[in-house]
Amino acid sequence: MNAHRAGRHLIIGIGSPFGDDQAGWRVIEHLQRMDLPPEVQLLSLDRPGPALIEQMQGYSSVILIDAVRTDQYPPGACLELTPEQLSGLDSLSTHGFGLAVVLRLASTLAQLPTRLRLFGLCMPTVPTPHAALSPEMRAGVLQLTQQLSATLNT
């Protein structure tokens, strides 16, 4: 464990440069413009796969934010998920080595942080082709940013 990170909190936005899959990155960008406690670190990752396990090492608390493909919820809806719930949605991951698989591996290796929170921003299973975030996803990003900011500053 990296002792210099102990007691620190990490928020990771996971994404890719494609349409609504940028949602995790956009939350991080909004948070970077806010006055957050100094123990909070922010990071954007492009489809990290198993490398995510190393990124989480040494942090007492990690929040992961990713777009999830699902038609069970409207586009832009923000869900706080358990790893088990994520597994049900992650079968349509846009990230080759899906987040649910990485978290199962981290759990098997006893490499999960003490506190792990997962937020999924819902995008349709058949995404519409666009370079930027859809209006629904932009609204979800802003809502989650405000929720996290309020939580981190209390």
Side-chain angles (χ1 to χ4, degrees), residues 5-83:
R5 293 182 183 176
R8 300 188 85 175
H9 309 284
L10 177 64
I11 302 175
I12 300 176
I14 298 170
S16 74
F18 308 107
D20 284 342
D21 199 37
Q22 302 171 53
W25 294 355
R26 300 301 161 244
V27 172
I28 296 301
E29 287 174 2
H30 286 292
L31 289 171
Q32 287 171 334
R33 294 191 289 267
M34 297 181 165
D35 186 25
L36 299 176
E39 66 272 9
V40 176
Q41 303 295 307
L42 303 172
L43 182 62
S44 293
L45 296 177
D46 186 348
R47 300 164 282 191
L52 177 64
I53 297 170
E54 184 177 335
Q55 293 291 336
M56 294 188 298
Q57 291 309 293
Y59 288 94
S60 58
S61 171
V62 175
I63 295 173
L64 300 176
I65 305 161
D66 196 7
V68 293
R69 289 186 178 169
T70 180
D71 288 326
Q72 298 172 6
Y73 301 91
C78 179
L79 308 173
E80 185 164 3
L81 303 163
T82 65

Side-chain angles (χ1 to χ4, degrees), residues 65-118:
I65 305 161
D66 196 7
V68 293
R69 289 186 178 169
T70 180
D71 288 326
Q72 298 172 6
Y73 301 91
C78 179
L79 308 173
E80 185 164 3
L81 303 163
T82 65
E84 295 76 25
Q85 290 169 321
L86 180 65
S87 291
L89 299 174
D90 200 47
S91 61
L92 295 170
S93 173
T94 59
H95 310 238
F97 200 85
L99 183 55
V101 174
V102 170
L103 294 177
R104 279 194 302 274
L105 177 61
S107 178
T108 300
L109 298 172
Q111 297 294 309
L112 286 176
T114 304
R115 179 165 175 168
L116 176 66
R117 295 178 72 190
L118 307 170

